[in-house]
Amino acid sequence: MSQASQSSEQPESKRHPAIVILDFGSQYSELIARRVRETEVYSLVMGYSTSADDLRSIAPKGIILSGGPSSVYTEGAPICDPGLWDLGIPILGVCYGMQLMVQQLGGVVEAAGRGEYGKAPLFVDDPLDLLSDVEEGSTMWMSHGDSVAALPQGFERLAHTANTPEAAVADHRRHFYGVQFHPEVVHSLGGMALIRNFVYQICGCKPDWTTEAFIDEAVADVQARVGDKRVLLALSGGVDSSTLAFLLHKAIGDKLTCMFIDQGFMRKGEPEFLTDFFDRKFHIRVEYINARDRFLGKLNGITDPEDKRKIIGTEFIRVFEEESKRLGPFDFLAQGTLYPDVIESAGTGVDPNTGERVAVKIKSHHNVGGLPKDLQFKLVEPLRRLFKDEVRKVGRNLGLPEEIVRRHPFPGPGLAIRILGEVSAEKLNILRDADLIVREEVQDAGLYHEIWQAFAVLLPVRSVGVMGDKRTYAYPIVLRCVSSEDGMTADWSRLPYDLLERISNRIVNEVKGVNRVVLDITSKPPGTIEWE
């Protein structure tokens, strides 16, 4: 999404996508949509079993078949409607999507003699159309154990790698293309050039889906859905809920009430900052609810992270329900749910029999997995299809100050999931003080905006130390700093040693109850950014 001025006559939910991604269970399906959106073209992810008739009614200018965990030659493997190939619409198959295209059109796919995983240089045989501007030897990200053994009639090779003869293929006459690698991931250096070629040159799309267009559409959508009803927003002060507050205020004005529930798991000084910032500075109504003791009591004896999230999520709604009777009535509850929240909560697999996503859940998100079944509100989630960087662009366009727009992500359950094991008032105080030191030092070093997240984690163990010739037996703090573009994947940040030393020295000297600081150097995957 760019900042260019564009508008649309219809809300986002009714706008037909220019590019449809059919999801075969890849963890990167929504990431493909995000990359297409970076070209300022509207895209939408749909289930792989979407019928050709439904696609014809949508009339996209292009279709992308995602990757997936299955092998196309196994019984029950997900397949698309064969009528897809007769729509006359350009199609790009990615990994599994390419193999499915080859098999359904008469080619052969079989287990590779040698799988290919990770980075591989791409050797271009045909530099036109799909691979124009993709440099010879560009690094591409491979992840496959099957390969194309024979191409269908009318197809030809576009590129190969050392281990994969048919790394990119095409039927130029019918505008069918396939790539064995993943152009959507950041590791594929020529990936965006390839996606732009498909979107612009092959599909003929125009760059008309911009930040302002999204805002116009989202505002119209909210107005149409909400009407003259009132909306209650769970305001946390993070980028997502803050952007949502500004968006909803633009759409419905005083019909919006923001409720900040201080559950006791916020960072140091944040409740005071939040109420002052929104209520006094921007005149957006904020109701402050002090529920610290209530939430802490609910977590007494709870150690399982999923239980924590669900308890906190349920209690949030219960407080909303109680307070809404006093302040309401409210018909709608607004949430700043984003695409990564939905992806991780729903899982990424696909049931080959139903076409539905399999709940291979990584973790429940506060905005998604923790909601109780007897929810009394209708949900409003205008940001549900956006990634974090897109939300920041929307926030800037709406006039949200940089101090909010560029804040690091913070989980809905707050510090409760950065304390492993049981949560207590003592541990919360320890973690707040340690976390503040981490953020202060990273900020002072001028690295805050170069890092996706920087925070502290408190472990439920103690170790022996020595301070002033006295033995100590205290908690360790884990320093977690990661770099990322969208939170889908992340790498640990290589902080300067002198900065690490300052953080460690300050924490062990200033935070009572801590005698050790350790550094988490795990990427995502295999780890997650948060510890719980």
Side-chain angles (χ1 to χ4, degrees):
M1 254 189 251
S2 77
Q3 299 295 327
S5 178
Q6 294 284 338
S7 64
S8 175
E9 297 181 354
Q10 52 191 350
E12 181 198 18
S13 61
K14 297 179 182 177
R15 180 191 244 225
H16 285 181
I19 301 293
V20 166
I21 296 94
L22 295 186
D23 180 15
F24 288 86
S26 171
Q27 61 179 312
Y28 298 130
S29 294
E30 284 82 1
L31 188 54
I32 298 175
R34 180 181 178 277
R35 297 303 184 207
V36 173
R37 292 179 188 186
E38 288 179 12
T39 70
E40 299 174 23
V41 171
Y42 181 55
S43 61
L44 182 67
V45 178
M46 303 180 71
Y48 72 83
S49 58
T50 303
S51 71
D53 287 340
D54 285 343
L55 289 168
R56 186 179 290 109
S57 68
I58 295 171
K61 294 187 175 181
I63 297 172
I64 299 177
L65 311 181
S66 83
S70 303
S71 293
V72 296
Y73 49 78
T74 59
E75 183 178 356
I79 60 173
C80 58
D81 185 340
L84 193 72
W85 314 113
D86 299 321
L87 291 175
I89 298 174
I91 299 175
L92 171 64
V94 175
C95 200
Y96 180 90
M98 168 184 163
Q99 295 167 7
L100 180 64
M101 175 186 291
V102 167
Q103 176 166 286
Q104 285 197 323
L105 294 177
V108 178
V109 177
E110 57 188 28
R114 180 180 178 185
E116 194 170 25
Y117 303 93
K119 299 176 182 179
L122 185 73
F123 304 107
V124 179
D125 300 296
D126 181 351
L128 302 178
D129 292 341
L130 188 69
L131 298 182
S132 62
D133 299 323
V134 176
E135 296 184 5
E136 176 74 8
S138 293
T139 296
M140 295 296 180
W141 187 260
M142 295 286 187
S143 181
H144 66 101
D146 298 328
S147 291
V148 173
L151 289 173
Q153 185 175 358
F155 277 77
E156 60 185 76
R157 176 191 299 174
L158 299 183
H160 65 280
T161 68
N163 294 323
T164 305
E166 313 295 353
V169 300
D171 180 334
H172 291 292
R173 182 180 64 83
R174 291 188 287 178
H175 302 296
F176 294 161
Y177 300 85
V179 293
Q180 188 59 73
F181 49 87
H182 288 274
E184 69 274 18
V185 302
V186 295
H187 308 293
S188 293
L189 301 184
M192 275 307 297
L194 185 153
I195 291 172
R196 281 192 293 267
N197 290 338
F198 180 73
V199 169
Y200 292 146
Q201 298 180 25
I202 295 170
C203 298
C205 296
K206 303 296 183 182
D208 61 0
W209 195 73
T210 64
T211 303
E212 289 195 4
F214 170 80
I215 292 172
D216 290 343
E217 295 162 7
V219 166
D221 197 20
V222 169
Q223 290 172 339
R225 183 165 186 223
V226 171
D228 61 354
K229 306 298 183 182
R230 297 179 65 197
V231 178
L232 183 62
L233 168 62
L235 185 65
S236 70
V239 179
D240 308 334
S241 67
S242 299
T243 298
L244 183 56
F246 272 55
L247 178 66
L248 292 174
H249 193 256
K250 178 181 177 69
I252 59 175
D254 292 340
K255 290 195 289 289
L256 168 69
T257 296
C258 296
M259 185 185 295
F260 170 60
I261 296 180
D262 185 357
Q263 86 289 52
F265 308 140
M266 299 296 289
R267 290 171 289 200
K268 198 163 189 174
E270 287 202 328
E272 297 80 8
F273 166 80
L274 179 66
T275 52
D276 180 75
F277 179 84
F278 282 91
D279 208 338
R280 300 180 189 176
K281 192 172 183 179
F282 287 95
H283 308 294
I284 297 176
R285 182 184 177 189
V286 177
E287 293 287 338
Y288 173 81
I289 309 297
N290 187 340
R292 297 180 183 182
D293 293 340
R294 176 172 176 169
F295 276 84
L296 192 58
K298 288 289 183 179
L299 293 186
N300 184 38
I302 304 299
T303 59
D304 182 84
E306 281 293 291
D307 290 343
K308 285 186 194 177
R309 288 177 177 271
K310 290 177 180 178
I311 289 170
I312 292 171
T314 298
E315 201 61 22
F316 251 101
I317 300 302
R318 293 295 173 246
V319 174
F320 275 133
E321 289 175 336
E322 294 169 13
E323 294 298 327
S324 69
K325 293 178 181 178
R326 177 175 64 88
L327 302 168
F330 296 99
D331 294 274
F332 294 90
L333 170 64
Q335 291 195 136
T337 307
L338 305 189
Y339 239 162
D341 301 335
V342 177
I343 296 164
E344 289 196 341
S345 291
T348 57
V350 172
D351 187 323
N353 298 313
T354 65
E356 299 296 327
R357 283 186 175 275
V358 178
V360 184
K361 183 159 56 181
I362 300 171
K363 60 187 177 187
S364 294
H365 281 262
H366 169 62
N367 284 346
V368 184
L371 293 177
K373 294 180 180 180
D374 58 341
L375 180 67
Q376 298 300 308
F377 303 101
K378 298 176 183 177
L379 290 180
V380 176
E381 298 176 304
L383 309 181
R384 187 179 180 88
R385 292 294 183 181
L386 298 186
F387 289 85
K388 182 71 73 172
D389 59 326
E390 293 177 311
V391 173
R392 287 195 169 104
K393 291 177 182 178
V394 170
R396 287 191 181 95
N397 192 284
L398 289 168
L400 200 65
E402 287 295 304
E403 61 185 308
I404 295 291
V405 171
R406 303 187 72 182
R407 296 186 84 189
H408 287 180
F410 188 65
L415 299 180
I417 60 167
R418 292 180 178 174
I419 296 173
L420 274 63
E422 186 176 4
V423 179
S424 68
E426 176 198 15
K427 292 178 181 177
L428 283 166
N429 289 331
I430 290 173
L431 186 56
R432 278 197 192 93
D433 290 341
D435 183 79
L436 180 62
I437 290 171
V438 173
R439 290 184 288 120
E440 284 179 344
E441 290 297 333
V442 169
Q443 188 91 47
D444 291 346
L447 297 175
Y448 185 84
H449 297 308
E450 296 181 21
I451 297 173
W452 177 263
Q453 279 178 272
F455 58 90
V457 176
L458 181 65
L459 299 185
V461 296
R462 299 192 188 197
S463 64
V464 174
V466 58
M467 292 181 178
D469 295 327
K470 292 183 179 180
R471 178 186 181 275
T472 62
Y473 191 58
Y475 293 108
I477 286 289
V478 177
L479 177 60
R480 181 63 162 155
C481 299
V482 298
S483 301
S484 178
E485 284 192 0
D486 49 37
M488 295 292 294
T489 60
D491 195 12
W492 63 281
S493 301
R494 275 65 169 173
L495 300 183
Y497 287 155
D498 59 342
L499 174 57
L500 294 173
E501 183 180 25
R502 286 197 302 274
I503 291 173
S504 177
N505 285 342
R506 282 195 62 190
I507 288 176
V508 297
N509 280 284
E510 298 176 27
V511 181
K512 185 178 180 180
V514 176
N515 65 358
R516 194 179 299 272
V517 176
V518 298
L519 178 65
D520 182 349
I521 58 171
T522 312
S523 63
K524 175 188 179 180
T528 54
I529 295 176
E530 299 289 346
W531 273 53
E532 287 194 343

